[in-house]
């Protein structure tokens, strides 16, 4: 760990009218990394990010961004930190490109606006006022506004929520490009594939607390709280697990992860595959989506919290 993280959150607590949204949450963001804060609805991701952005005051705990206090040093941080909020921050009647040009003009070394507009597929929006843009276009514009000033650090709150696959990919490309340029990125997401693909460091949050943190490889590695190899399939719910367990080697463990989703943990080889498919065939069960491999972030999350991430 570096001695001075770009973002440092220590024992953060935030309550709303007696309800605890963030409950003693701690994490560090290292320079030049993409950090994903991953968790289900209501886990406290937005509250945490907004506290780092200086929009909310912690009830207790410490938050430092680039070594500064996000509220006390807001003016200094504004020039160095890009923020993409979940909604808005734009005058409704101004057109998208005008708005972006204006924001770019506030910075000493902005990105080239025309290129950014093209990259994010906003070229066709021409003179359309902000309020008439589609939800996805508005979202891409707020992403553009967050990055146009070439910040050292950007906070992106669910940058791909509700985007079509193409816009999602363009957003991912932009995040990867920022990372190559040495920008530190903190993003929140519900999507495990997004975290797995983009993040150097993942902070898994549930009920306002960090339940696991590490690189995607560390989090999904063998022995990090569960077996490494597994075979997965889906079929009708309620298969006889005891009978399936008897059909596979004793060292394997059989589980119905959630209704109709099955996993066999342990050494996965061609023999195990044959055992499982033979067992299914004998019962006229079609194992749909059969796959073998290491556990995914989704498996890790289910093991840790028993909660499925919802997108
Ligand atoms: P999502 O993925 O749905 O955006 P999240 O992980 O970002 O969720 P937060 O938005 O931080 O979660 O919310 C955490 C908890 O705090 C939720 O239970 C939410 O209802 C509550 N909360 C958030 N903002 C407020 C507020 N201004 N007043 C009261 N309660 C709030």
């Amino acid at each position: 760990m570096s001695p001075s993280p770009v973002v440092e959150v220590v024992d953060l607590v935030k309550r709303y009218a007696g309800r605890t949204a963030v409950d003693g949450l701690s994490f560090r963001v290292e320079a030049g990394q993409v950090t994903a804060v991953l968790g289900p609805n209501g886990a406290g991701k937005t509250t945490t990010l907004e506290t780092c952005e200086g929009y909310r005051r912690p009830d207790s705990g410490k938050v430092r961004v680039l070594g500064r206090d996000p509220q006390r040093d807001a003016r200094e941080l504004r020039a160095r930190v890009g923020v993409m909020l979940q909604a808005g921050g734009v005058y409704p009647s101004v057109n998208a490109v005008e708005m972006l040009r204006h924001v770019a003009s506030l910075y000493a070394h902005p990105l080239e606006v025309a290129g950014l507009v093209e990259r994010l597929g906003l070229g066709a929006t021409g003179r359309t006022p902000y309020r008439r843009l589609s939800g996805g276009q508005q979202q891409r514009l707020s992403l553009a506004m967050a990055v146009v000033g070439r910040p050292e650090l950007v906070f992106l709150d669910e940058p791909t929520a509700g985007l079509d696959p193409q816009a999602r990919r363009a957003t991912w490309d932009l995040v990867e490009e920022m990372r190559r340029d040495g920008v530190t990125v903190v993003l929140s997401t519900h999507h495990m594939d997004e975290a797995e693909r983009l993040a150097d460091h993942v902070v898994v949050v549930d009920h306002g607390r960090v339940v696991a943190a590490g690189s995607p490889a560390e989090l999904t590695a063998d022995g990090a709280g569960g077996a490494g190899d597994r075979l997965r399939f889906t079929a009708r719910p309620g298969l006889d697990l005891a009978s399936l367990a008897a059909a596979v080697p004793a060292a394997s463990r059989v589980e119905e992860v959630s209704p109709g989703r099955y996993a066999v943990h342990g050494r996965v080889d061609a023999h195990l595959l044959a055992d499982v498919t033979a067992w299914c065939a004998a019962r006229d069960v079609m194992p749909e989506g059969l796959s073998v491999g290491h556990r995914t972030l989704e498996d890790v999350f289910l093991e840790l919290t028993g909660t499925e991430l919802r997108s």
Side-chain angles (χ1 to χ4, degrees):
M1 267 196 242
S2 77
S4 52
V6 173
V7 177
E8 188 180 20
V9 175
V10 183
D11 292 332
L12 175 65
V13 175
K14 181 70 192 170
R15 295 184 199 91
Y16 298 112
R19 188 199 174 108
T20 305
V22 176
D23 189 14
L25 191 142
S26 305
F27 67 97
R28 295 160 63 100
V29 171
E30 306 297 336
Q33 292 203 338
V34 175
T35 297
V37 179
L38 179 73
N41 287 130
K45 305 180 299 291
T46 298
T47 302
T48 301
L49 259 57
E50 287 179 350
T51 309
C52 295
E53 293 157 2
Y55 296 123
R56 296 192 186 277
R57 187 182 297 281
D59 287 319
S60 64
K62 184 176 103 168
V63 176
R64 289 287 175 274
V65 171
L66 298 166
R68 305 286 192 271
D69 180 312
Q71 289 210 314
R72 203 184 51 219
D73 306 316
R75 187 189 288 265
E76 181 198 332
L77 288 175
R78 205 163 299 136
R80 303 174 62 191
V81 179
V83 169
M84 177 187 179
L85 300 172
Q86 258 189 33
V90 180
Y91 297 109
S93 54
V94 169
N95 95 40
V97 178
E98 244 171 55
M99 187 69 209
L100 192 56
R101 278 215 187 88
H102 171 68
V103 173
S105 73
L106 304 175
Y107 292 92
H109 307 288
L111 294 176
E112 197 229 332
V113 171
L116 193 56
V117 163
E118 195 56 40
R119 294 276 313 275
L120 289 172
L122 290 168
T125 61
R127 308 175 72 81
T128 317
Y130 177 79
R131 67 169 180 280
R132 299 246 180 264
L133 298 179
S134 73
Q137 288 167 340
Q138 291 185 355
Q139 206 167 341
R140 279 176 273 154
L141 179 63
S142 31
L143 174 64
M145 292 194 339
V147 305
V148 73
R150 277 189 220 268
E152 292 165 53
L153 164 68
V154 283
F155 289 105
L156 309 176
D157 196 357
E158 295 187 21
T160 62
L163 292 185
D164 63 35
Q166 226 173 339
R168 201 167 175 230
R169 195 152 294 272
T171 303
W172 286 355
D173 288 347
L174 196 68
V175 169
E176 279 167 352
E177 192 178 302
M178 281 193 280
R179 183 176 176 278
R180 278 198 298 277
D181 288 347
V183 179
T184 307
V185 179
V186 181
L187 59 90
S188 69
T189 183
H190 299 203
H191 299 292
M192 273 136 325
D193 59 337
E194 186 159 294
E196 223 156 0
R197 178 186 163 134
L198 290 181
D200 301 291
H201 188 69
V202 180
V203 180
V204 186
V205 176
D206 194 26
H207 300 302
R209 294 181 149 271
V210 175
V211 293
S215 68
E218 282 164 359
L219 287 172
T220 57
D222 295 8
D229 288 327
R230 63 188 54 200
L231 180 153
R232 294 184 197 82
F233 63 94
T234 59
R236 64 168 188 266
L239 295 181
D240 182 350
L241 293 188
S243 157
L244 177 56
V248 297
S252 305
R253 187 167 61 81
V254 175
E255 169 187 33
E256 186 168 359
V257 183
S258 60
R261 291 172 62 202
Y262 298 89
V264 183
H265 308 259
R267 185 182 152 76
V268 176
D269 56 16
H271 300 287
L272 180 76
L273 199 58
D275 291 343
V276 171
T277 50
W279 184 87
C280 287
R283 283 155 190 80
D284 213 14
V285 167
M286 175 64 193
E288 304 267 1
L290 190 126
S291 66
V292 296
H294 286 286
R295 48 192 210 151
T296 62
L297 275 182
E298 181 169 21
D299 297 323
V300 174
F301 194 83
L302 281 166
E303 282 163 21
L304 288 166
T305 68
T307 315
E308 277 193 66
L309 278 178
R310 295 162 299 271
S311 52

